[in-house]
Amino acid sequence: MRVLTIEKPGLQSVLQGAPRTGFRHRGVPRSGAADAYSLALANRAVGNAPLATGIEIPGGQFSCTFRTETMICILGATANLALSSRPVRPGTTVPVKPGDRLLISGLADGMRVYVAVRGGLKARSIMGSPSTYLPARLGGIGRALQVGDDLALADDAIDEPQALPADLLIPPSTRHVLRCCDGAEFESLSPTSQHDLFERDFIVSSRLDRMGVGLEGPPLEIDSQGTMKSAPVFPGTIQCPEGGAPFILLADAQTTGGYPRVAQIIAADRFQLGQLRPGDQVRLMRVTPAAALRVLEAKAAALKSIGIPISAL
Amino acid sequence: MTVTQISEDIATIAVPDASVGRVIADRLRATGLFGEIVPALEEVAVQFDPLAVTWTQVEAVLADLDDLAAVPDTVMGAPLMIEVRYGGEDGPDLEKVAGQLGIGTADLVDQHTASPVQIEMMGFTPGFAYVQGCGWQVPRRARPRAFVPAGSIGVAGGMSGLYSLGGPGGWPLIGRTDLTLFDGRLDDPFTLLAGQWIQFRAV
């Protein structure tokens, strides 16, 4: 059933839902929402399964017209949200009538806005996931959304809509603290740079997409002649090429890479990566794997109350 | 074999070579404990749900693999023939690579097509294959190309790489095949598998 028609697709809006797991050994990235936390919360607000497919809108420029009566919830980056000229509060469940026009503009903080529609959106499932991976045209509708695209409803409503607890709604900031563990090649950094990695502010560079995001700052000293053998990497892995500028891998990250892996962002903080925006400040904070697990357990407990299993994100 | 916990959900085991890594990966897959198992050239990385399995459980499994360090890799049938157009537009770096190696382009093609080679691992992007090379230690390009066509064959770090998708790439390119290496429209989109033998042939 047709639920909405795209009018302004924005920069590279895509359908994202459950990640594509279990195929990294064949080179297949994880995909799924770059900020899976926001999409899962928006889904729960409209009564969907937490991993139902929604729209990811990088850059926050978007409009569409609804064709049926439904409910939506919008979360993620801070932007101007209007439904047929009425302002929309992020994180609330908003009833929609046929002919209503959603307009998203004026991105303030953060990078990506998420729209969840009750029932979820229909997408082509490939290797167990409906999420879009543009380089291989997997999932979604096989490409970024375009003007005139009609999106159809899936069947992922599992509960009544619910109000989201205020303490779970964290508006994006321009300063990010990302906790991380030492990466496999942390020792390739000079002793000074091993210290600097956690003692300085980095700036998010304009080199940013769903595969990764660069950090700017005084170059780190890395002992590498570009001869490292390709080794496994994951979303949240921080690589440091010979030039000394760290690069954080995101949801669509390649599965292997040949640059030293200096750190690994902890699972509980990986959702923040989808909201990093050029010019933002990033501070890395060193933690042990045991401490990372305690953080994840606390986050899992908070999300369990609204029916989000953190392991699925 | 050394086990390292990287983060609360990722660990690696150092392996002597890629074939041991593949055997270990098969054993680990059978345990059902891991969401991702990625064998590479010098290590196998695993990702798991730390809220469902404890590090003690994971460590016990990873520490009990030494018996596999000498298990031969399974041999997989006759090599798949891969027809390659070397040089020209299809292999724009062929002459440069031959120059770096101090051999002629015909010799380079002869060496590259001389015998069957094994796919050491799959990685990078869906269906990209890292293949045993001829030991040519040529560097990656200083500036990656913004677009490398699907089917391109690059060489770097002693290996050959088969680009399964069109996209950015940093390896010097010596040729290209028309064989489709990845087709996301198929139920089984992959043409190649880690451990498989292939044979390059110049056309």
Side-chain angles (χ1 to χ4, degrees), chain B residues 167-198:
Chain B
W171 293 25
L173 305 177
I174 60 168
R176 191 177 170 202
T177 178
D178 287 332
L179 184 68
T180 300
L181 302 175
F182 180 86
D183 185 345
R185 294 166 303 183
L186 303 178
D187 286 342
D188 181 3
F190 305 96
T191 304
L192 305 172
L193 190 69
Q196 185 174 8
W197 288 87
I198 60 174

Side-chain angles (χ1 to χ4, degrees), chain B residues 13 23-34 37 44 46 61-62 65:
Chain B
I13 320 132
V23 173
I24 282 176
D26 288 345
R27 157 92 61 99
L28 295 177
R29 227 169 281 289
T31 67
L33 283 178
F34 304 101
I37 299 157
V44 178
V46 294
V61 170
L62 299 184
L65 298 167

Side-chain angles (χ1 to χ4, degrees), chain A residues 26, chain B residues 19 22-23 26 72-81 116-122 188 190-199:
Chain A
R26 307 195 78 172
Chain B
S19 72
R22 289 193 294 271
V23 173
D26 288 345
D73 201 12
T74 40
V75 178
M76 298 164 59
L80 174 74
M81 196 62 71
V117 284
Q118 201 171 16
I119 295 175
E120 292 283 35
M121 68 171 186
M122 306 294 291
D188 181 3
F190 305 96
T191 304
L192 305 172
L193 190 69
Q196 185 174 8
W197 288 87
I198 60 174
Q199 164 95 54

Side-chain angles (χ1 to χ4, degrees), chain A residues 20-29 126-127 133 135-136 138 181-182 184 226 228-232 234 254-256 258 261 264 266-268 270 289 292-293 296-297 300 310-311, chain B residues 5-10 12 29 35-43 45-47 49-51 121-128 130 140 165-166 171 182 184-185 188-190 192-193:
Chain A
R20 194 168 282 111
T21 55
F23 293 94
R24 288 192 87 73
H25 61 295
R26 307 195 78 172
V28 180
I126 304 270
M127 288 179 262
Y133 172 65
L138 302 183
C181 301
D182 294 357
M228 190 183 125
K229 288 197 167 145
S230 287
F234 295 88
Q254 67 270 31
T255 61
T256 55
R261 299 159 293 177
Q264 175 67 45
I266 71 172
R270 282 174 212 157
L293 179 56
L296 189 67
E297 284 167 342
I310 198 165
S311 311
Chain B
Q5 185 177 15
I6 300 292
S7 59
E8 74 278 37
D9 64 333
I10 296 168
T12 66
R29 227 169 281 289
E36 300 285 359
I37 299 157
V38 190
L41 304 170
E42 297 174 333
E43 68 183 65
V46 294
Q47 189 169 34
D49 176 358
L51 301 177
M121 68 171 186
M122 306 294 291
F124 181 51
T125 56
F128 182 101
Y130 293 82
R140 293 187 191 118
L165 308 175
W171 293 25
F182 180 86
R185 294 166 303 183
D188 181 3
F190 305 96
L192 305 172
L193 190 69

Side-chain angles (χ1 to χ4, degrees), chain B residues 34-165:
Chain B
F34 304 101
E36 300 285 359
I37 299 157
V38 190
L41 304 170
E42 297 174 333
E43 68 183 65
V44 178
V46 294
Q47 189 169 34
F48 54 95
D49 176 358
L51 301 177
V53 286
T54 65
W55 173 243
T56 312
Q57 283 173 291
V58 169
E59 201 175 17
V61 170
L62 299 184
D64 189 31
L65 298 167
D66 283 348
D67 60 304
L68 298 181
V71 173
D73 201 12
T74 40
V75 178
M76 298 164 59
L80 174 74
M81 196 62 71
I82 296 189
E83 298 188 335
V84 182
R85 293 183 305 276
Y86 287 92
E89 280 181 16
D90 295 304
D93 300 316
L94 180 73
E95 284 167 17
K96 188 176 157 193
V97 171
Q100 285 169 331
L101 298 168
I103 57 176
T105 54
D107 290 340
L108 184 150
V109 172
D110 283 348
Q111 286 184 37
H112 201 246
T113 55
S115 56
V117 284
Q118 201 171 16
I119 295 175
E120 292 283 35
M121 68 171 186
M122 306 294 291
F124 181 51
T125 56
F128 182 101
Y130 293 82
V131 185
Q132 279 173 341
C134 307
W136 299 333
Q137 289 301 333
V138 288
R140 293 187 191 118
R141 289 169 56 87
R143 273 171 169 255
R145 283 189 170 87
F147 187 81
V148 169
S152 295
I153 293 159
V155 290
M159 307 191 86
S160 301
L162 272 62
Y163 283 88
S164 52
L165 308 175

